[in-house]
Amino acid sequence: MNIFKLTLRRLFSNPVRVGVMFIAPILFITMFVLSLDVKFSVGIVDDDMSYFSKAIAVELSERYNITMINKASITSRVAEYGDGYVIHIPEGFEDLLNGPAGMIELLGYYQTPTSKVAAVEEDINGIIARMRSITQGVEGDMESAYSIYDAYREKKFDIIDSEGASGVQERFVSAMGFLIQFLLYMSIATTGIMSEDKQHGTYYRNFYAPIKMRRYLFESLLAFMTVGFLQVTIVFLFVLGTMNFAGTNYDAAFFFKTYLIMMLFSIVAIALGLFVVNIFKSATAAYTFMGTATTPLVMLGGCYWDKSLMPDTLNMIGKFLPTTWAMDGIRLVISSGTTEQFLEILGILLLFTACFFALGLTKRVDVAN
Amino acid sequence: MRTFLAVALFEIKTNINEKYTLFMFIGLPILLTLILGTTFDSLLNPDMGLENKYLLYVEEGDPVGEGLLEYLNIEEIKHYIQYEQVVSPEEAIDRHTDEAYMGYIIMEPSTGEKLFNNEPVELSYMSKYNSEIIKGVLGGFVEAMKMYVTMLEDGVQAKEPDETAFISRGAFNEGNTFPKSIDYYAVQSLIQMLVFAAILGSNTLTRDYDNDVFIRIKTAPISKAKLIFAKIVGNVVYVTVAAVISLLVSGLVFGANIYGNFPLILLTIMLFAFAMIGIGIIIGSLVKNLVISVGITVGMVTFFSGVSGGMTPEASSPFLQIFTPNYYAKNIIFGSIYDYDASIIGQSVLALFVGIAIVYTAAILLQRRKMA
């Protein structure tokens, strides 16, 4: 097993390879998945400075990061906080609470209308509707309105995210999406050394050495798969250790099935890497191609978002990609799909592996020449 | 000068001959604009609808529970939550794993009574996705209930709300236009592609180190600095032309709004490409291995575009993005198309220049150290 050991040593002696395979996926999952709970930024321009306009800021501060700003800095605030939101409360806002319908108009500023923007606007509309109900109920007697508002805010009627389980599925699927992305990077980071061997002539010098080409390929592939399995295991353990699965029905069988899918996908990825390395003559071209092609591959596979968001044409294209089937497998396990459906997905992933291996290990015309 | 131009032209020709660079600089942004622009069309639309079905348990005869049913039947609320009533909390918990449901909502028994007795009560929920929206929508109901009960306690008759929407979208520009999904991603994908120019920068250096060009050049009629600069110019021209092509495809084929101040957009593309090639030169000088520099660049692309909203605006990091050049390029290009305040555009242009100055100072210092 000299080639196996040597290949592993070569793979682990390069700090960038180790970074791409083991550190980067954990870093990205931490940044983009585990930080999903970070509070949304809301800026408030309060030109009214009344009891109720200030109360809006107090209510919103329970759910969002609130900053009081002035009117002149609205545009820069939204531009700086790309996903942020600014609400402008005009002068005379409180006086209009008891007025006729259609008189109150606040201005909301944002770059793109995301679901976070929709949620914050829904909140603000609700707050104002309640303030309006109170002031209209007391027929404009503002002292009574303030007193009722304070009493209502004291009441205890809490909304509980059941055992903190909400969003766990969303985060788990996203984490698996990132793992798939980094398995694709791993595929080229590992199989790429075969391309380097060809470029430096090492591959061809094997013909003069007392080893068979079959052994070289077998031991190299075994080393790549070992790295792939290690990557899946490390990221999986990290995800299990950092996410709170309490309150979900995710049991040992669930984790075993998702782990199995990821293990199988690591083999698919290595076979794909082998195929890419076989297409490109230079290692640079293979690395660059895979580095750039990975983004559309994971996007079309639904690794960043649910497939239902994509148009039918893109979903149809996605069916020809292994990333789609791996993500389908994860979502199937989450939604408690049947064993037959699970086996079908494993079968399709095996088929992809066979195809990529066949394409990656043939076309040895250059050797013959 | 002729030697300088010949080297620049050679660099452009080399890039054109490399199929993977054509894919990277023209194919990829077009592909990403297509995927992202069509995928997020519904999400970036203010009227987005969510098909979220929840299992709901409320105790029969509980006035607050009936209030919740009434609330969930409002058309605007149906937009976010559809429900199927179940007979017990256990049934809701057992069945929510089914793919057909987004989660469950359970109202504590005797909620109305407890609320009137000033006892603490809970409305629990579990949502597989979009938990923040659901929390917000349910929060609206809970707050309204608290208010009605308080008003009744004070002997005040609560009035049904005569209107529920009070917010209009504020205008940044005269026509009050904002980027649609395809417009947003046409720019974001372009910027993402420009980060890959770092590969050309590191390629420029590592290829020549590998081929001992910097040793052989000592007998040639061109200095090392001039040679590197000519290569940078060649790469900037190549990347700029590729960027303009992909921008035109986005505008003419996909109908994206790319119609801002064209000279300013062109200047941004060139400055950004120049900065990225500089970063590539630094990476190349440090690692001297193209394979490693490709790995670093791919990581950089993913990080820069991720934190600056290149994947989805929701995943952007307000804090981290100010350290990425993508953020400033985005501000200039969007600012030019959607008439941002001149000060924002000016600050962003300045930030790009400062970034370039830092990058090239570092690159020159590294090269000098190597020569020494």
Side-chain angles (χ1 to χ4, degrees):
Chain A
M1 298 293 275
N2 284 342
I3 296 168
F4 171 76
K5 283 181 199 164
L6 185 70
T7 310
L8 279 184
R9 207 177 303 152
R10 283 175 69 188
L11 288 171
F12 284 104
S13 63
N14 186 325
V16 174
R17 275 202 179 99
V18 174
V20 167
M21 292 185 296
F22 303 108
I23 299 165
I26 289 175
L27 207 66
F28 276 75
I29 289 172
T30 309
M31 265 170 34
F32 295 108
V33 181
L34 301 179
S35 63
L36 282 178
D37 291 334
V38 173
K39 280 185 177 178
F40 187 53
S41 302
V42 175
I44 298 179
V45 181
D46 188 354
D47 281 349
D48 197 37
M49 294 304 283
S50 59
Y51 182 88
F52 277 128
S53 69
K54 286 177 190 166
I56 292 178
V58 174
E59 281 205 46
L60 288 177
S61 67
E62 291 167 4
R63 295 180 286 281
Y64 308 101
N65 275 328
I66 299 296
T67 317
M68 301 305 294
I69 58 170
N70 58 35
K71 199 176 172 183
S73 54
I74 291 177
T75 319
S76 60
R77 166 86 192 178
V78 175
E80 276 167 29
Y81 289 79
D83 70 335
Y85 180 86
V86 171
I87 187 78
H88 178 205
I89 305 170
E91 201 179 334
F93 161 76
E94 191 176 278
D95 299 336
L96 294 170
L97 282 173
N98 192 33
M103 296 296 287
I104 301 172
E105 190 191 21
L106 282 74
L107 294 176
Y109 294 86
Y110 46 91
Q111 272 191 352
T112 42
T114 61
S115 60
K116 288 177 185 171
V117 167
V120 71
E121 290 208 335
E122 199 63 36
D123 269 345
I124 297 170
N125 280 325
I127 294 169
I128 299 172
R130 289 190 291 281
M131 288 174 172
R132 196 166 156 76
S133 285
I134 294 173
T135 48
Q136 286 184 335
V138 295
E139 292 170 348
D141 176 359
M142 295 314 275
E143 286 308 315
S144 304
Y146 299 154
S147 144
I148 292 176
Y149 178 80
D150 286 342
Y152 128 71
R153 294 280 295 152
E154 290 295 314
K155 280 222 175 290
K156 291 281 173 212
F157 187 176
D158 294 325
I159 304 172
I160 305 293
D161 178 354
S162 188
E163 298 180 61
S166 282
V168 167
Q169 174 172 320
E170 191 173 3
R171 282 194 285 274
F172 184 72
V173 171
S174 295
M176 291 302 105
F178 273 109
L179 178 54
I180 286 176
Q181 179 177 2
F182 280 92
L183 279 170
L184 289 173
Y185 289 144
M186 175 278 298
S187 75
I188 200 69
T190 52
T191 53
I193 65 167
M194 286 179 92
S195 189
E196 287 172 35
D197 283 353
K198 276 186 195 171
Q199 217 171 331
H200 299 144
T202 319
Y203 183 81
Y204 303 106
R205 281 199 292 274
N206 280 335
F207 292 114
Y208 301 97
I211 50 161
K212 287 184 178 163
M213 189 53 66
R214 247 178 305 170
R215 197 178 134 199
Y216 168 81
L217 279 174
F218 173 75
E219 289 193 26
S220 297
L221 285 175
L222 199 64
F224 303 154
M225 283 177 199
T226 307
V227 172
F229 291 164
L230 205 60
Q231 187 185 20
V232 172
T233 309
I234 288 173
V235 174
F236 226 81
L237 287 175
F238 172 76
V239 169
L240 294 189
T242 47
M243 282 188 194
N244 176 20
F245 291 96
T248 64
N249 62 339
Y250 299 167
D251 53 8
F254 167 85
F255 291 116
F256 175 73
K257 280 180 181 173
T258 46
Y259 184 63
L260 196 65
I261 290 171
M262 283 301 154
M263 289 294 233
L264 188 54
F265 185 79
S266 72
I267 302 174
V268 179
I270 285 161
L272 176 66
L274 212 59
F275 174 44
V276 172
V277 160
N278 204 13
I279 296 173
F280 292 96
K281 279 183 185 163
S282 84
T284 311
Y287 282 119
T288 314
F289 174 80
M290 200 62 182
T292 47
T294 295
T295 309
L297 272 177
V298 294
M299 283 178 177
L300 286 167
C303 299
Y304 290 158
W305 48 72
D306 199 272
K307 276 196 316 177
S308 61
L309 292 173
M310 289 195 289
D312 293 343
T313 326
L314 293 184
N315 275 326
M316 187 56 80
I317 297 169
K319 283 191 174 178
F320 296 95
L321 303 173
T323 45
T324 307
W325 292 98
M327 283 311 287
D328 278 1
I330 298 293
R331 292 196 173 99
L332 181 85
V333 176
I334 284 173
S335 60
S336 315
T338 62
T339 309
E340 288 76 22
Q341 288 171 314
F342 179 69
L343 291 175
E344 187 187 319
I345 286 186
L346 292 188
I348 292 168
L349 286 175
L350 280 173
L351 212 61
F352 271 113
T353 312
C355 288
F356 290 140
F357 269 134
L359 291 165
L361 295 172
T362 53
K363 198 190 156 197
R364 292 277 171 242
V365 183
D366 53 341
V367 175
N369 288 339
Chain B
M1 190 63 188
R2 278 179 65 184
T3 324
F4 183 90
L5 288 176
V7 172
L9 199 64
F10 174 77
E11 201 62 21
I12 295 171
K13 281 182 184 168
T14 309
N15 285 328
I16 292 171
N17 287 334
E18 294 279 13
K19 286 188 192 88
Y20 71 90
T21 64
L22 287 177
F23 170 74
M24 194 160 65
F25 292 110
I26 298 176
L28 186 71
I30 292 171
L31 197 61
L32 289 185
T33 306
L34 178 69
I35 297 172
L36 294 164
T38 52
T39 299
F40 287 102
D41 206 31
S42 58
L43 276 188
L44 294 183
N45 183 333
D47 298 325
M48 63 160 195
L50 303 166
E51 294 294 325
N52 295 335
K53 196 172 208 179
Y54 291 83
L55 291 159
L56 169 73
Y57 170 74
V58 291
E59 193 183 42
E60 214 179 322
D62 182 354
V64 178
E66 280 167 13
L68 179 61
L69 293 176
E70 214 172 290
Y71 176 75
L72 295 178
N73 283 329
I74 297 171
E75 276 308 313
E76 201 182 306
I77 303 300
K78 276 187 191 168
H79 203 58
Y80 300 106
I81 299 179
Q82 295 98 51
Y83 68 90
E84 183 182 314
Q85 237 179 307
V86 291
V87 294
S88 67
E90 292 74 25
E91 188 186 347
I93 293 167
D94 286 347
R95 286 177 55 200
H96 86 278
T97 51
D98 191 316
E99 202 178 358
Y101 304 105
M102 190 57 84
Y104 60 77
I105 301 165
I106 298 172
M107 182 173 274
E108 200 179 321
S110 311
T111 292
E113 197 184 317
K114 287 177 184 167
L115 205 57
F116 275 104
N117 293 335
N118 271 329
E119 291 172 37
V121 274
E122 288 177 358
L123 176 66
S124 58
Y125 74 99
M126 192 273 162
S127 183
K128 294 172 190 170
Y129 291 92
N130 304 313
S131 52
E132 277 307 305
I133 297 181
I134 303 314
K135 191 178 178 184
V137 172
L138 292 177
F141 167 76
V142 164
E143 293 301 317
M145 276 299 123
K146 279 162 60 180
M147 182 199 72
Y148 286 134
V149 171
T150 314
M151 287 175 82
L152 282 174
E153 283 171 352
D154 281 30
V156 178
Q157 184 62 47
K159 287 189 178 169
E160 284 293 315
D162 52 1
E163 57 179 334
T164 49
F166 305 93
I167 305 170
S168 305
R169 190 166 183 181
F172 287 123
N173 51 33
E174 243 178 58
N176 202 11
T177 50
F178 301 95
K180 290 199 296 283
S181 179
I182 197 86
D183 310 327
Y184 180 82
Y185 285 111
V187 174
Q188 283 284 14
S189 303
L190 176 86
I191 296 171
Q192 191 171 340
M193 165 270 255
L194 288 172
V195 183
F196 277 113
I199 291 179
L200 297 184
S202 49
N203 198 1
T204 299
L205 229 61
T206 48
R207 198 176 53 201
D208 289 351
Y209 274 120
D210 285 350
N211 299 333
D212 291 336
V213 171
F214 295 130
I215 295 170
R216 281 183 279 158
I217 202 178
K218 287 174 183 169
T219 56
I222 186 167
S223 67
K224 183 185 173 186
K226 213 170 175 183
L227 178 81
I228 293 176
F229 190 62
K231 282 166 173 273
I232 292 171
V233 169
N235 284 326
V236 169
V237 171
Y238 172 74
V239 173
T240 306
V241 171
V244 171
I245 291 172
S246 80
L247 202 62
L248 287 175
V249 171
S250 298
L252 301 174
V253 180
F254 301 140
N257 182 7
I258 48 145
Y259 307 104
N261 181 337
F262 186 71
L264 185 63
I265 295 175
L266 198 65
L267 176 75
T268 310
I269 291 171
M270 290 175 79
L271 285 178
F272 196 90
F274 191 54
M276 283 302 123
I277 289 167
I279 290 177
I281 287 175
I282 293 177
I283 298 170
S285 308
L286 290 172
V287 298
K288 276 194 186 176
N289 179 319
L290 192 56
V291 173
I292 298 175
S293 56
V294 168
I296 295 172
T297 308
V298 169
M300 201 168 69
V301 170
T302 318
F303 175 75
F304 281 4
S305 58
V307 297
S308 63
M311 301 300 175
T312 71
E314 303 208 349
S316 68
S317 163
F319 171 69
L320 290 175
Q321 69 173 350
I322 56 172
F323 297 104
T324 69
N326 297 39
Y327 166 69
Y328 300 103
K330 182 178 77 173
N331 276 352
I332 301 170
I333 299 177
F334 278 136
S336 142
I337 300 172
Y338 300 101
D339 298 335
Y340 281 12
D341 198 273
S343 65
I344 297 173
I345 298 175
Q347 280 167 13
S348 299
V349 172
L350 189 68
L352 275 188
F353 272 115
V354 170
I356 287 171
I358 294 169
V359 164
Y360 278 91
T361 307
I364 290 166
L365 286 175
L366 277 169
Q367 289 302 312
R368 282 199 170 175
R369 204 179 65 180
K370 272 184 202 306
M371 283 166 84

